[in-house]
Amino acid sequence: MRFVKQLIGLGVCLGLWCTTALADVIPGEVIDKSNYQKIENLVPDFILAWVKSGDLKMKIGKLTFDQQNFWPKEVLQNNPANIGRYKIDPNNGIIDVKTGKPARGIKGLPFPAPNPNDPNLPMQLLWNRIFCEFYVQGDVYQLNTWLGFTRNGLEKTMLLEIMTHTFDPAKSPFDCTELQVFRQPFSMAGTGTLAVYPLYPLENGDRFTYAPELGKVRRMSHRLAGSDTVFGFDGTADDSWSGGPKTAKEEGVYRFIGERDALVPYLAETPLKGTWDEKKALGVGNRETGFEAKYGFETPGWTGAPWHLTNVVWIK
């Protein structure tokens, strides 16, 4: 079994942050409330506020590898052929340029060379991201630990089993399915949802939920847009779709407003090695990689917020 610590509610934000200060950072230095001015213009306002208040300290790092060399083999093989092959339509869906129809069975990234001059650039980037989560990885099994924090520290822990599967377009009208089942705590064990997603936004999918105390399966809308909390967490069904609703992509309106350097959190400056087991499942937990993310509440001497990761590096 693979245990992956997941910080709920932490997303990657694309945007333009305006300030008059000139900022720069040097690999190896630590940014805290005494020198927070160095990260102005490099992080969103809410991260700057965490550093200024003392909730967060940031270690600046530098990558030792080229990220482009670490795509899965299928992505590296298919990306060149995908350049110019697909486009975004008015519904924010992916269209095959040759056929004019919604695309299916895409191998690699749909937009491996996004064009900053294309008005649909934001949607191209967002589609690339969702492909990294579901389609590029292929079938995935995870056992995630969800942690709930307050200022007093760790409040609750939940163990969530997640399985995703991508369909062969010749055999199914759907493109991806995701099964999520709670294993801990005992009061929630067995509660789960099964969702099947189409790739094109206007096509209907299906979502079912099961609760042991009811002993019945209930059908739900697969379009769970919005920011309703999930079991008391600030983690929501649309968190993994950065910038808008994950299952109702046609409802979002996106505009490219600029390009700028930014600080982005990484687990490590060097590559971490996962392992494939006999069932072709990729293990990315600390047992395989040798790296374990540490939170504030479990880091000796940490004086910031208990929910922040303390051993990540921030890369410009």
Side-chain angles (χ1 to χ4, degrees), residues 168-209:
D168 181 344
K171 299 179 180 180
S172 173
F174 301 109
D175 294 279
C176 178
T177 184
E178 183 175 40
L179 175 65
Q180 300 190 17
V181 182
F182 280 94
R183 297 306 183 194
Q184 294 178 9
F186 179 77
S187 60
M188 294 181 62
T191 302
T193 60
L194 171 66
V196 285
Y197 298 103
L199 188 64
Y200 191 70
L202 295 188
E203 294 177 356
N204 290 321
D206 256 323
R207 185 185 296 266
F208 303 90
T209 185

Side-chain angles (χ1 to χ4, degrees), residues 17-142:
W17 308 296
C18 298
T19 178
T20 57
L22 295 177
D24 203 5
V25 291
I26 301 173
E29 71 178 331
V30 175
I31 305 298
D32 57 23
K33 60 183 179 181
S34 69
N35 60 352
Y36 70 87
Q37 294 89 349
K38 288 191 173 185
I39 62 171
E40 289 181 330
N41 203 40
L42 294 176
V43 296
D45 291 341
F46 66 92
I47 293 182
L48 182 64
W50 284 337
V51 176
K52 289 174 65 175
S53 68
D55 278 344
L56 176 62
K57 295 180 182 179
M58 303 168 60
K59 179 183 177 181
I60 307 302
K62 184 178 182 180
L63 296 183
T64 63
F65 62 99
D66 183 354
Q67 301 171 80
Q68 298 296 328
N69 296 331
F70 285 82
W71 285 110
K73 184 177 180 180
E74 183 181 65
V75 175
L76 295 174
Q77 290 176 339
N78 290 281
N79 273 358
N82 287 348
I83 297 177
R85 183 176 180 180
Y86 305 107
K87 67 178 182 179
I88 302 294
D89 77 349
N91 299 313
N92 288 337
I94 304 177
I95 298 297
D96 190 306
V97 172
K98 289 184 178 180
T99 65
K101 298 180 179 180
R104 297 197 64 202
I106 299 173
K107 302 296 183 182
L109 296 178
F111 304 102
N115 181 2
N117 296 320
D118 190 324
N120 288 314
L121 173 66
M123 279 308 304
Q124 293 178 6
L125 297 176
L126 291 173
W127 269 116
N128 281 349
R129 193 218 180 279
I130 206 70
F131 263 73
C132 290
E133 181 184 4
F134 284 103
Y135 304 100
V136 166
Q137 296 184 78
D139 296 350
V140 173
Y141 169 81
Q142 304 176 54

Side-chain angles (χ1 to χ4, degrees), residues 1-4 141-145 159-162 183:
M1 293 188 297
R2 290 153 178 79
F3 295 84
V4 180
Y141 169 81
Q142 304 176 54
L143 197 57
N144 282 357
T145 303
L159 196 62
L160 182 66
E161 195 171 14
I162 302 176
R183 297 306 183 194

